[in-house]
């Protein structure tokens, strides 16, 4: 059975008395244990709403959200579901509770009633996993955005959740912070087998996932490996969605009549492809 | 600027006073303050001041810092001192119209001034050597019996923790908004009092809106980290009494004994 199993879910917000705004229309999605899924889409396409359904912060209007076999919509399952699915938000400042890094990381396990000695071990291990152990006694407001976001991730790891949902965790970070966070997420997925659901606006981040799900207007538009999804450049463009820059470049070259062997997804891949195409000459010119 | 404001003046050091259990430090501060107020003669007062002075020395924080902490209350000390000088009873030593200075008044004046100064010093020892998180932690433990009377002790402690976390953040934000409004031509430095208060409105409104937004986010983050009140909650850092804490308790008991003896042996210095 899939770890996250969303069956035919609809969701709407009450704007005012009697007026409803439909956000999700009959969405079904399965995420397996250990997967790294990127969720793409415009603002207001329902991806953030979906992320809050994953850990029972919101309850589906109709349909069912099963997390590890537990119905996330039931009040009595809430704690158990949140023990399994952690949520990291966009603004790193707003999700840290305590005034000291290690105490913030301890917040989750403390809520779960874990014995003190074990909390200590978990906190140290979590801070090491995100490479923030040296900052354990610092105040959060003295850290950079990327560091704060890594502390927030450590706070979830310390709860030993098997899945982390990240709602645009890099949107407020500079390129360096973004890379720090992406590197951390990728490592956690590979080394610890933690299931990752990454909601993002950056196509270059989505490419690093094992699977890309594209949402548009409350529906799932595409679902597949990054290469499959970003291969359909025209379809994405029709929905005003971007593709990674390297893909865009090669797509345009192809449209202009240049014959290319494949459509690359990342800059490295693109450079490699052109090098091969142009033979040794390109290498010489680049080196000189 | 604004960010220079620090809440609670904690000076991280490695000293006996820093290592002492924060619960004990709070109790000890209350204990010393009681001593100062119960002291009936100069000997007892001097002794309790000496006891607090010992704490100051053991905190390894320079005397300069302690003197600085007295600055804001100097006016209060001066004010009460002046009042006390003229409110004495007995034979006047000096008189001018209805103002008279008596021996009793002078004694009262000295006594009250020393009391206030030592009181501030005692609380400074506590706040200088205890981090705000330790303080809230200790207060939560000490007040726990009150939760039986349905006082929301855990909630108050949580509010304190969050406030301490967000004060620097909101100060930073205030500065940003002020700069943004100034860049749009807001004038905050000139005009009378009323005009200046009015000039603050365009700063306060965005600040409040953003604070509410933060609160909403924080609530989401806390709930998704399984926060469900104080019930069944554990703590990573457990407060535990160590050998030096028992030593400190011993010193307090000894001090109490000496204090009572001094209070009984010497006659009261002031009446009323």
């Amino acid at each position: 059975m899939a770890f996250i199993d969303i069956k035919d879910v609809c969701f709407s917000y009450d704007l005012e008395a009697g007026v409803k705004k439909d956000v999700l229309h009959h969405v079904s999605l399965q995420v397996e244990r250990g997967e790294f899924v990127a969720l793409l889409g415009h603002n207001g396409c329902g991806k953030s709403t979906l992320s809050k359904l994953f850990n029972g912060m919101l309850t589906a209007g109709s349909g069912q959200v099963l997390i590890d076999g537990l119905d996330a919509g039931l009040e009595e399952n809430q704690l158990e579901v949140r023990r399994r699915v952690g949520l990291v938000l966009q603004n790193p400042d707003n999700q840290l509770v305590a005034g000291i890094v290690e105490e913030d990381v301890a917040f989750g396990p403390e809520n779960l009633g874990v014995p003190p000695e074990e909390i200590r071990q978990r906190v140290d291990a979590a801070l090491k996993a995100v490479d923030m152990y040296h900052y354990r006694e610092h105040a959060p407001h003295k850290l950079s955005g990327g560091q704060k976001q890594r502390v927030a991730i450590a706070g979830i790891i310390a709860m030993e959740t098997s899945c982390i949902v990240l709602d645009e965790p890099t949107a407020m970070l500079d390129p360096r912070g973004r890379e720090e966070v992406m590197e951390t997420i990728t490592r956690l997925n590979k080394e610890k087998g933690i299931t990752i659901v990454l909601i993002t606006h950056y196509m270059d981040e989505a490419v690093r996932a094992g699977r890309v799900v594209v949402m548009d207007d409350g529906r799932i538009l595409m679902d597949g490996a990054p290469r499959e999804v970003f291969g359909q450049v025209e379809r994405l463009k029709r929905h005003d969605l971007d593709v990674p820059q390297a893909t865009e470049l090669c797509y345009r070259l192809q449209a202009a009549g240049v014959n290319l062997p494949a459509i690359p997804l990342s800059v490295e891949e693109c450079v490699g492809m052109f090098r091969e195409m142009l033979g040794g000459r390109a290498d010489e010119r680049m080196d000189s | 600027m604004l960010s220079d404001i620090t809440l609670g003046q904690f000076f991280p050091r490695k000293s006996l006073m820093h290592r002492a259990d924060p619960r004990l430090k709070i109790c000890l501060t209350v204990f010393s303050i009681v001593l100062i107020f119960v002291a009936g003669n100069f000997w007892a007062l001097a002794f309790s001041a000496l006891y607090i002075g010992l704490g100051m020395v053991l905190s390894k924080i320079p005397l300069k810092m302690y003197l600085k902490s007295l600055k804001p209350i100097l006016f209060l000390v001066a004010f009460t001192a002046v009042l006390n000088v003229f409110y004495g009873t007995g034979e006047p030593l000096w008189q001018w119209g209805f103002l008279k200075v008596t021996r009793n008044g002078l004694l009262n004046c000295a006594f009250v001034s020393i009391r206030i100064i030592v009181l501030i010093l005692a609380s400074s020892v506590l706040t200088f050597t205890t981090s705000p998180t330790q303080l809230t932690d200790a207060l939560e433990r000490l007040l726990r019996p009150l939760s039986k009377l349905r006082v929301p002790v855990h909630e108050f402690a949580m509010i304190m923790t969050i406030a301490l976390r967000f004060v620097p953040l909101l100060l930073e934000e205030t500065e940003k908004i002020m700069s943004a409004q100034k860049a749009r031509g807001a004038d905050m430095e000139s005009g009378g009092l009323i005009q200046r208060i009015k000039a603050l409105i365009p700063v306060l409104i965005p600040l409040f809106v953003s604070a509410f937004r933060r609160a909403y986010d924080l609530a989401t983050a806390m709930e998704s980290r399984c926060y469900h009140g104080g019930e069944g909650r554990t703590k990573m850092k457990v407060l535990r009494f160590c050998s030096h804490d028992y030593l400190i308790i011993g010193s307090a008991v000894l001090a109490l004994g000496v204090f009572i003896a001094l209070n009984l042996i010497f006659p009261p210095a002031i009446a009323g």
Side-chain angles (χ1 to χ4, degrees):
Chain A
M1 196 176 56
F3 181 68
I4 297 177
D5 190 1
I6 294 179
K7 291 177 191 159
D8 199 31
V9 160
C10 294
F11 187 85
S12 53
Y13 286 107
D14 289 322
L15 291 181
E16 45 197 277
V19 184
K20 280 188 175 180
K21 186 174 180 274
D22 293 331
V23 187
L24 296 175
H25 309 276
H26 302 283
V27 172
S28 291
L29 179 72
Q30 276 81 39
V31 178
E32 296 295 333
R33 223 172 251 280
E35 260 194 303
F36 183 171
V37 181
L39 205 55
L40 287 174
H42 289 299
N43 285 334
C45 75
K47 52 193 195 324
S48 284
T49 308
L50 196 59
S51 76
K52 286 189 175 128
L53 287 172
F54 287 156
N55 76 342
M57 288 302 303
L58 294 176
T59 313
S62 72
Q64 207 176 27
V65 179
L66 290 179
I67 305 295
D68 202 12
L70 292 163
D71 189 341
L74 296 176
E75 182 85 31
E76 65 261 34
N77 282 345
Q78 253 171 17
L79 271 186
E80 282 305 310
V81 165
R82 285 172 195 166
R83 231 171 228 258
R84 288 167 170 76
V85 180
L87 185 63
V88 175
L89 303 172
Q90 185 186 92
N91 189 331
D93 275 322
N94 296 357
Q95 50 189 327
L96 302 180
V97 183
I100 297 173
V101 166
E102 59 176 8
E103 284 182 15
D104 184 79
V105 177
F107 182 72
E110 283 177 347
N111 288 334
L112 295 174
V114 176
E117 304 80 49
E118 201 192 324
I119 298 182
R120 187 80 251 177
Q121 286 167 9
R122 283 193 191 191
V123 167
D124 289 351
L127 281 171
K128 279 175 188 156
V130 298
D131 206 13
M132 285 296 290
Y133 186 66
H134 290 296
Y135 294 92
R136 62 188 182 280
E137 283 175 354
H138 282 233
H141 68 270
K142 297 254 168 82
L143 301 177
S144 76
Q147 289 173 327
K148 276 183 261 194
Q149 206 58 293
R150 272 148 64 200
V151 171
I153 294 172
I156 302 293
I157 297 172
M159 288 168 67
E160 298 186 343
T161 61
S162 35
C163 173
I164 305 180
V165 178
L166 303 105
D167 190 355
E168 298 190 33
T170 59
M172 299 181 76
L173 306 183
D174 56 6
R176 200 167 137 204
R178 206 181 299 158
E179 186 47 41
E180 283 171 16
V181 170
M182 280 310 293
E183 199 260 328
T184 307
I185 298 172
T186 321
R187 195 152 37 83
L188 289 174
N189 176 252
K190 285 217 177 84
E191 288 172 12
K192 296 195 182 246
I194 295 175
T195 315
I196 304 279
V197 178
L198 173 70
I199 295 171
T200 181
H201 271 300
Y202 296 103
M203 302 301 149
D204 300 313
E205 288 176 5
V207 165
R208 292 162 79 158
R211 178 177 159 200
V212 175
V213 175
V214 182
M215 288 187 69
D216 192 33
D217 198 21
R219 289 182 183 84
I220 289 180
L221 193 67
M222 288 185 226
D223 184 352
R227 205 162 291 280
E228 272 172 58
V229 171
F230 291 121
Q232 309 177 43
V233 181
E234 268 163 66
R235 191 163 169 213
L236 285 168
K237 293 235 163 224
R238 235 180 310 148
H239 287 90
D240 286 325
L241 286 158
D242 272 331
V243 291
Q245 276 182 342
T247 314
E248 171 94 35
L249 172 72
C250 294
Y251 169 75
R252 286 200 192 172
L253 282 173
Q254 248 180 353
V258 181
N259 204 6
L260 297 173
I263 294 284
L265 291 181
S266 66
V267 176
E268 294 81 40
E269 211 179 306
C270 185
V271 171
M273 189 184 79
F274 280 122
R275 270 193 184 169
E276 220 166 273
M277 274 178 69
L278 299 172
R281 282 179 302 148
D283 272 335
E284 282 161 31
R285 223 174 285 159
M286 273 183 174
D287 291 341
S288 61
Chain B
M1 264 315 272
L2 281 172
S3 51
D4 292 339
I5 303 170
T6 44
L7 228 102
Q9 294 265 308
F10 173 56
F11 297 101
R13 295 282 143 87
K14 285 196 165 35
S15 80
L16 179 70
M17 288 310 283
H18 284 77
R19 260 180 295 138
D21 191 298
R23 290 171 294 180
L24 180 61
K25 279 190 270 185
I26 292 176
C27 294
L28 217 55
T29 309
V30 175
F31 169 74
S32 331
I33 290 171
V34 170
L35 286 196
I36 299 163
F37 276 88
V38 174
N41 56 49
F42 275 105
W43 290 104
L45 186 71
F47 177 74
S48 38
L50 208 69
Y51 187 63
I52 289 155
L54 184 71
M56 285 164 61
V57 172
L58 287 177
S59 73
K60 287 193 186 163
I61 291 167
L63 187 67
K64 213 173 81 189
M65 298 299 173
Y66 285 106
L67 294 181
K68 254 190 193 165
S69 73
L70 289 177
K71 230 191 227 164
I73 57 120
L74 275 184
F75 173 74
L76 186 76
V77 174
F79 184 74
T80 41
V82 168
L83 268 185
N84 271 290
V85 166
F86 295 117
Y87 269 87
T89 48
E91 272 306 290
L93 296 172
W94 175 85
Q95 197 158 15
W96 184 74
F98 63 95
L99 293 175
K100 57 173 183 175
V101 176
T102 63
R103 196 183 118 81
N104 165 271
L106 281 176
L107 278 178
N108 264 348
C109 157
F111 218 84
V112 171
S113 311
I114 293 172
R115 260 185 190 166
I116 298 175
I117 289 169
V118 176
L119 174 94
I120 297 300
L121 289 177
S123 48
S124 291
V125 176
L126 175 68
T127 53
F128 283 8
T129 62
T130 322
S131 74
T133 22
Q134 275 182 318
L135 264 183
T136 23
D137 241 27
L139 274 175
E140 187 182 355
R141 292 301 160 95
L142 286 173
L143 297 178
R144 192 175 280 170
L146 286 181
S147 60
K148 290 220 169 64
L149 300 170
R150 302 230 174 156
V151 178
V153 176
H154 165 75
E155 281 73 9
F156 281 136
M158 191 46 110
I159 290 168
M160 269 293 284
T161 309
I162 292 172
L164 287 169
R165 156 87 184 88
F166 279 84
V167 161
L169 210 66
L170 290 177
L171 283 176
E172 201 178 295
E173 186 145 27
T174 314
E175 237 168 80
K176 253 188 224 165
I177 296 171
M178 272 167 114
S179 310
Q181 301 292 34
K182 272 184 206 161
R184 291 167 199 182
D187 180 12
M188 287 170 203
E189 263 110 40
S190 60
L193 185 68
I194 293 181
Q195 214 163 358
R196 280 198 197 195
I197 291 170
K198 270 190 184 161
L200 275 181
I201 293 173
V203 174
L204 289 180
I205 290 174
L207 188 67
F208 269 87
V209 171
S210 126
F212 278 111
R213 206 169 286 153
R214 280 181 198 283
Y216 181 75
D217 258 12
L218 182 69
T220 308
M222 284 172 73
E223 269 194 61
S224 44
R225 284 163 80 181
C226 294
Y227 181 68
H228 54 281
E231 221 174 296
R233 213 167 176 269
T234 46
K235 280 268 180 191
M236 174 170 72
K237 290 176 182 163
V238 185
L239 297 174
R240 223 177 255 129
F241 266 48
C242 305
S243 50
H244 56 253
D245 291 317
Y246 291 109
L247 208 72
I248 293 171
I249 295 178
S251 81
V253 173
L254 199 71
L256 184 65
V258 176
F259 177 82
I260 292 173
L262 285 174
N263 234 1
L264 291 177
I265 294 168
F266 294 97
I270 50 166

